[in-house]
Amino acid sequence: MFRELVRKNKQLPQEECIRLLKEETRGVLSVLGDDDYPYGMPMNHWYNEEDGKIYFHCGNVGHRLEALQKHKKVSFCVYDKGYKDDKHWAYKVKSVIVFGKIEIIDDIDKIIDITTKLSYKFIQDDEYIKGEIEASVHRTLLLQLNPEHICGKLVTEA
């Protein structure tokens, strides 16, 4: 159902794809928006090693949520900062694309649990995290991306 990479020598092992999903702080979530136009937005995320799902938090209104209520299929792209080797001017970048379906979670306990874990990717201040979550949890939803296909590759930007 999903396409295979044409240039197999550029494909990342699955373990490297998971590492990027765990370590990188943000990516682009793309949905099918108004009038079937693609709508991509930068989002931070948390990859759960226990269930293999990717979680995002969002508000309970807006374009993204309306699009997801109509069409659950999405793609999510994460990429690293890249690096240069001594032989070439262009960066080499590792990227991962995840295809799957979004499930909208409105369970307050799960929202608190996952958004707390997501917050620790950015800041280690327990009191700050607790305060932010308490202030906004009543208007927050959790998006759970259930991956159907994960593929990564190493590309040269040239």
Side-chain angles (χ1 to χ4, degrees):
M1 177 158 116
F2 294 98
R3 294 177 184 230
E4 292 187 27
L5 282 181
V6 173
R7 297 172 75 191
K8 298 265 188 226
N9 63 328
K10 303 291 184 184
Q11 189 165 351
L12 296 176
Q14 198 67 18
E15 299 78 30
E16 182 67 5
C17 293
I18 299 304
R19 185 191 68 74
L20 284 167
L21 289 170
K22 287 182 351 189
E23 293 179 6
E24 293 302 322
T25 55
R26 62 192 53 82
V28 175
L29 181 68
S30 295
V31 301
L32 191 59
D34 293 345
D35 294 320
D36 294 337
Y37 277 99
Y39 176 54
M41 72 246 39
M43 296 197 59
N44 51 43
H45 67 282
W46 182 67
Y47 178 83
N48 185 347
E49 288 184 86
E50 293 175 14
D51 64 13
K53 299 181 189 317
I54 302 167
Y55 293 91
F56 313 89
H57 67 88
C58 71
N60 56 11
V61 296
H63 186 177
R64 169 186 40 233
L65 190 59
E66 290 170 17
L68 289 170
Q69 289 168 337
K70 292 178 189 173
H71 192 77
K72 304 282 185 215
K73 292 180 180 177
V74 300
S75 70
F76 180 58
C77 178
V78 173
Y79 55 94
D80 68 7
K81 294 173 183 57
Y83 65 92
K84 285 186 190 182
D85 62 28
D86 294 336
K87 300 173 188 164
H88 203 268
W89 61 268
Y91 277 87
K92 295 185 183 293
V93 177
K94 293 178 181 177
S95 65
V96 176
I97 296 183
V98 179
F99 294 96
K101 293 179 185 153
I102 289 282
E103 187 176 335
I104 299 169
I105 309 292
D106 60 2
D107 176 85
I108 294 295
D109 292 333
K110 190 163 185 177
I111 292 171
I112 291 169
D113 178 51
I114 299 297
T115 55
T116 300
K117 291 172 180 171
L118 171 61
S119 297
Y120 279 112
K121 284 180 80 170
F122 298 94
I123 188 167
Q124 305 302 307
D125 185 332
D126 294 332
E127 290 304 311
Y128 176 80
I129 291 170
K130 184 178 178 185
E132 287 294 308
I133 290 173
E134 285 177 1
S136 61
V137 73
H138 64 281
R139 61 182 186 274
T140 301
L141 295 176
L142 193 62
L143 304 179
Q144 176 182 293
L145 173 49
N146 303 308
E148 295 179 16
H149 183 72
I150 298 174
C151 190
K153 63 183 177 179
L154 174 65
V155 297
T156 302
E157 288 184 322

